[in-house]
Amino acid sequence: MGFGDLKSPAGLQELNNYLADKSYIEGLPGVKKTLGKYGPVDVEDTTGSGATESKDDDDIDLFGSDDEEESEEAKRLREERLAQYESKKAKKPALVAKSSILLDVKPWDDETDMAKLDECVRSIQADSLVWGSSKLVPLGNGIKKLQIQCVVEDDEVGTDMLEEQITAFEDCWADLFLKMSFNKINKA
């Protein structure tokens, strides 16, 4: 039984003749057969000794076995690489987390001098505080709020400190509303 060698013209001709009146090669689903077991009964199997059973894949260790002892050279090399990695890591400067903050400073009434309010807010100084651009945004009834941007280092300057210092300006009497957009800026 079989088609013969499918690499030879005779084997291919036998397969074509078999499939002339059939739409597929018959076989039970899920049951593996060797190639020579398919096809007509009257044809000799010339595919060799049939397909050999597949070897068990358990004897192939693709990722290395945990049971094997590590050689002294491998241990020394591993320790050396770990030491190099640690020294390289120690030389790297630590990342500094920074945040970008948008402050909305709203005055009590329309008589507040917004230029003076901007000047007062910018007078707040700290080592890790950088003031950015500012603009006046109309609220209604002639009242405008001050929108001002700043960048702070998270570990050094907190929003509570900014709020306390801005609301402490008695001549401006401003309320502070923080719109915080925490854009983390990691710089060395």
Side-chain angles (χ1 to χ4, degrees), residues 4 50 60 66 91 98 102 113 115 128 135 148 159 171 185:
I60 299 173
D66 294 337
K91 292 177 185 175
K98 293 186 176 186
L102 180 64
D113 183 7
S128 55
K135 66 179 180 179
I148 188 165
T159 57
D171 49 346
I185 306 167

Side-chain angles (χ1 to χ4, degrees), residues 128-178:
S128 55
L129 170 66
V130 178
W131 290 106
S133 63
S134 65
K135 66 179 180 179
L136 296 177
V137 178
L139 291 176
N141 296 333
I143 299 175
K144 294 181 180 180
K145 68 178 178 180
L146 173 68
Q147 268 191 346
I148 188 165
Q149 179 115 15
C150 67
V151 176
V152 297
E153 287 184 19
D154 293 345
D155 294 338
E156 303 291 325
V157 177
T159 57
D160 294 339
M161 185 270 299
L162 287 174
E163 182 178 358
E164 287 173 11
Q165 290 189 14
I166 291 173
T167 55
F169 296 122
E170 292 180 9
D171 49 346
C172 295
W173 290 104
D175 281 334
L176 175 68
F177 296 94
L178 300 175

Side-chain angles (χ1 to χ4, degrees), residues 39-143:
V41 180
D42 59 342
V43 176
E44 180 183 333
D45 182 11
T46 59
T47 59
S49 62
T52 58
E53 293 297 320
S54 63
K55 292 185 177 180
D56 190 12
D57 289 337
D58 292 340
D59 60 346
I60 299 173
D61 189 9
L62 297 176
F63 300 104
S65 176
D66 294 337
D67 298 336
E68 295 178 14
E69 286 296 318
E70 190 176 20
S71 70
E72 291 298 319
E73 178 67 21
K75 282 183 184 178
R76 184 190 62 77
L77 185 60
R78 182 174 51 85
E79 293 298 325
E80 183 179 302
R81 287 184 179 163
L82 283 173
Q84 286 175 352
Y85 172 73
E86 289 298 326
S87 67
K88 185 177 179 182
K89 186 176 169 184
K91 292 177 185 175
K92 250 186 177 176
L95 295 178
V96 178
K98 293 186 176 186
S99 296
S100 174
I101 302 174
L102 180 64
L103 303 168
D104 279 348
V105 184
K106 297 182 180 178
W108 282 105
D109 57 20
D110 62 344
E111 296 177 4
T112 303
D113 183 7
M114 297 306 286
K116 183 169 182 165
L117 181 60
D118 187 359
E119 182 182 314
C120 290
V121 170
R122 288 182 185 274
S123 69
I124 300 171
Q125 296 295 318
D127 288 336
S128 55
L129 170 66
V130 178
W131 290 106
S133 63
S134 65
K135 66 179 180 179
L136 296 177
V137 178
L139 291 176
N141 296 333
I143 299 175

